[in-house]
Amino acid sequence: MRCAVLAACLLLASPLTPAEEVIHVAYSERPPYLITQPDGTPGGLTGAPATAAFHNAGIPVQWHKVPSNRQLMMVKDHASPSCAIGWFNTPQRRQYGKFTKAIYRDRTWVVLSNAAFAARNIGSLAELARQHDARVLVKDNYSYGNLDAFMTHWQPVKAISTASTLKMLQSVNTGMVDLMFVSEDEGHYIMQHHAAQHPNLRLLAFKDMPRGMERHIMCGTNVPDEVIARLNKAITFK
């Protein structure tokens, strides 16, 4: 009995701080941004700095490899403190999430198209805006940065997908859609590692493409500000 009372007193004297709570961190396999390492942690352009930030900040985490829409549900759900890796900081997402400092910045956007569409020899967004019959594939609940406003003005035939990027490119390769926007990093990775299986893919660089956006760790509003502050202190990207 005395041991039980002593244990209870110790718990009251040394409560867990919010920063010591396990944070559930979600990501999906998306090379070169996110690649699961042999030890089960995410690596890659955004995965590695995020993993390092949680580790160096001394914040315990539980990794969850889930689709992007599930990541958003975890961040919005207040049942447990959750974060997701590599998301753009947009006004809409700030309504339900908190963001760390940037962990990476994309270089620019490129167009991944099939050979038939590439044969139109379009060299700029201004020319693309006149192609109203173009069929563009976009990821559900994704933001494409400054290209969001461009697509609203352009109003192409739009197809929405919940599949992974690697599955989406199959639709481009087979001609089900004409094109999709990807980052330069992702585009070069796809052409280097998957072009042999998808020979109709073409990578188009337009002269007036906007610069890529910064990527962040996005957390739910129930994640304490102390956790965000500790992550920001641990993030080394500038």
Side-chain angles (χ1 to χ4, degrees), residues 18-234:
E20 291 173 319
E21 295 181 17
V22 173
I23 305 296
H24 297 266
V25 184
Y27 73 100
S28 56
E29 200 80 11
R30 187 187 176 188
Y33 291 110
L34 290 150
I35 306 167
T36 304
Q37 302 301 294
D39 64 356
T41 62
L45 297 177
T46 57
T51 299
F54 279 102
H55 174 76
N56 294 334
I59 300 170
V61 302
Q62 182 174 343
W63 305 109
H64 299 266
K65 188 162 65 170
V66 295
S68 56
N69 279 342
R70 177 59 183 161
Q71 295 178 41
L72 291 176
M73 290 175 61
M74 290 176 64
V75 168
K76 294 177 182 179
D77 185 6
H78 289 176
S80 60
S82 301
C83 300
I85 299 173
W87 290 77
F88 294 157
N89 184 344
T90 66
Q92 180 186 14
R93 291 171 185 165
R94 286 196 294 272
Q95 295 177 14
Y96 56 80
K98 299 178 181 180
F99 289 82
T100 66
K101 291 168 28 179
I103 56 174
Y104 187 75
R105 180 164 192 160
D106 294 346
R107 287 182 287 179
T108 188
W109 292 97
V110 293
V111 170
L112 189 68
S113 81
N114 55 48
F117 190 82
R120 299 189 187 189
N121 293 319
I122 298 167
S124 68
L125 286 178
E127 293 177 37
L128 184 63
R130 296 193 288 269
Q131 309 293 315
H132 296 293
D133 63 330
R135 299 164 298 166
V136 59
L137 185 62
V138 298
K139 187 76 173 281
D140 188 35
N141 282 320
Y142 263 37
S143 170
Y144 291 83
N146 293 333
L147 291 175
D148 290 339
F150 168 77
M151 283 190 276
T152 299
H153 171 75
W154 176 23
Q155 295 188 331
V157 179
K158 188 183 293 186
I160 300 175
S161 175
T162 59
S164 67
T165 300
L166 295 182
K167 288 185 177 180
M168 288 171 65
L169 65 86
Q170 296 176 13
S171 298
V172 178
N173 179 71
T174 59
M176 293 180 63
V177 294
D178 295 312
L179 63 99
M180 57 189 282
F181 293 104
V182 295
S183 71
E184 185 179 2
D185 292 309
E186 194 167 30
H188 285 306
Y189 182 92
I190 288 170
M191 297 305 292
Q192 189 174 31
H193 293 85
H194 301 282
Q197 298 91 341
H198 303 89
N200 288 323
L201 292 179
R202 301 291 185 271
L203 200 62
L204 312 178
F206 292 169
K207 58 187 179 183
D208 54 351
M209 274 290 193
R211 186 183 178 188
M213 291 184 64
E214 293 179 336
R215 296 183 180 273
H216 306 256
I217 300 171
M218 176 176 64
C219 300
T221 55
N222 62 330
V223 172
D225 290 341
E226 180 190 355
V227 170
I228 303 298
R230 290 176 67 174
L231 286 172
N232 283 340
K233 188 175 180 180

